[in-house]
Amino acid sequence: MFNPRSFLAAFLLAIAALTAGGGVSGPAMAQDKAELRALINDLAKGRYDDTERQIAAIAATGDEAAVPALQALGSNDLRARKSDGVVFIVKKDGRDYLLFDAITGEAAGEAGRREMARIKINNRLRRAIKAALGTLTLMSANPERRMRAAEQVFKARDPDAIETIDEALAAEQDEAIALLLTQARAAALLNSDASEADKIAAVAVIAARGDQDARGILAATADSSEGDLKAAADRALGKVDQVLAMWGAAQNVWYGLSLGSVLLLAAIGLAITFGVMGVINMAHGEMVMIGAYTTFVVQEIIRTSAPWLFDASLAIALPLAFLIAGAVGVALERFVIRFLYGRPLETLLATWGISLILQQAVRSIFGANNREVGNPGWMSGLTEIGGLTITYNRLWIIVFSLVVFAVLIGVLKKTRFGLYTRAVTQNRRMASSMGIRTPWVDAMTFGLGSGIAGIAGVALSQIDNVSPNLGQSYIIDSFMVVVFGGVGNLWGTLVGAMTLGVVNKFLEPYAGAVLGKILVLVFIILFIQKRPRGLFALKGRAVEA
């Protein structure tokens, strides 16, 4: 939607920058505004070919004040007044138009729809407008706008823009923008009638860029050329493919680590309960689900009562999720699992039944549909390192999972509760004979493991759908991580989660997501045949017995 104040502010800022001598300017930048206005008015005259020539003439002025008019033309918001042929930017106001000056953006009154003639455009003209906008903004005083413009010119590959690119390169002081302009010039050269030697030099420039856009340009050049140019393009294409393959492997490692961090959060609580009590808790995934729904409820309350606290919603949800899921875990151990120790099949069936009850309870309260959980501002967006794309939400989840892991290691190594837990894990009978209340340790350990599953749900809510089935997506993978790493061993859980995450992501492109998980499961079965206690087996008399 057109904003006249924004256009006017941008126009005045450009004038001020040019007056102060701080902007980048082309040779035609000081042309009289009357001439630019005449060029814009001529957009309404003639056929498509005439309009395209007028667009090129406007771009050739290098006057950034023409940007609003071209943007309006591209969005069909440019009209010519029939009475005098003056072109305006328009905004619909009921059955009439609000008129704005095509250069300054100032309000210019109203007009009926029948008084204004639409300037027709087609796809060819839209491409011409896009290229012209890129050319004009190359002369901007704003470095970010110049950077975006250079990227647009690079993708347009318009040979008519070479002269303007050369002017912008001559005046450009920013090295990053100058490099991008050089690449844009090379892309345009490959689409022009330049000499073969110039094109071969341009191929080297494009190859040095090394991304998917560069690959597309090189592939098109190789397909449409012959002789030395084709050979140079083929060689460059091979090098770019190698670079992209390396970045693709790095991207898979990143995806694998992010998946591994999710598996670590989901499995770390299970590793504790499974290691201490030997209980196969099929309701562990529902503790993850409870944490995710806690996040949803917290955000809903904040949205309606205190929206300014939204960026702190996860900090509020984390302790609540830990306490709520932990309390459910303690209740589960006290009233169900305590009576089933030593009966693994009954324990498995009971916890599976409880998982179904919890899922149905959530469906009854919140409904079966997915619930929206938003990302705080500091978890939104992404950054690129070479060909590697890193999203902030997954980056923070990796950091968070490692922090949780470190805190849990500290609790188990440095506190009395941790000492009791390790004693019960290694030799329950000996720990009981030494005066340790093993039933209390069981309950608190189950509560701790369930609480960690709850905070895992907080993290998972940032990357996955919050639904009653959320936990079921991770329970099998969590058991695989625990068994592969070594039952009850947290370091084994860390290594197992990261290993399985990376392996999964490398298998998916070749085998698909489902078959990839099947292959991982087969690998773990074969691995357990050789090392029944996993990568890092716990040591203790009860274990060795």
Side-chain angles (χ1 to χ4, degrees), residues 174-204:
D174 188 300
E175 292 184 2
I177 299 176
L179 175 60
L180 191 50
L181 286 170
T182 303
Q183 294 167 352
R185 186 182 190 279
L189 272 176
L190 290 175
N191 207 29
S192 70
D193 55 359
S195 67
E196 186 176 63
D198 288 340
K199 289 188 175 182
I200 291 175
V203 163

Side-chain angles (χ1 to χ4, degrees), residues 48 104 118 185 268 326 345 351 353 361 456 491 498:
Y48 288 137
T104 66
R118 185 167 71 93
R185 186 182 190 279
I268 195 169
L345 179 59
T351 54
W491 287 104
M498 296 303 176

Side-chain angles (χ1 to χ4, degrees), residues 175-246:
E175 292 184 2
I177 299 176
L179 175 60
L180 191 50
L181 286 170
T182 303
Q183 294 167 352
R185 186 182 190 279
L189 272 176
L190 290 175
N191 207 29
S192 70
D193 55 359
S195 67
E196 186 176 63
D198 288 340
K199 289 188 175 182
I200 291 175
V203 163
V205 173
I206 299 299
R209 178 177 170 119
D211 62 1
Q212 286 289 351
D213 289 331
R215 190 192 186 285
I217 292 173
L218 291 173
T221 302
D223 290 341
S224 61
S225 58
E226 55 186 19
D228 292 341
L229 178 57
K230 179 177 177 59
D234 285 333
R235 287 194 300 269
L237 191 59
K239 292 179 181 178
V240 170
D241 283 339
Q242 291 178 356
V243 172
L244 290 176
M246 288 189 293

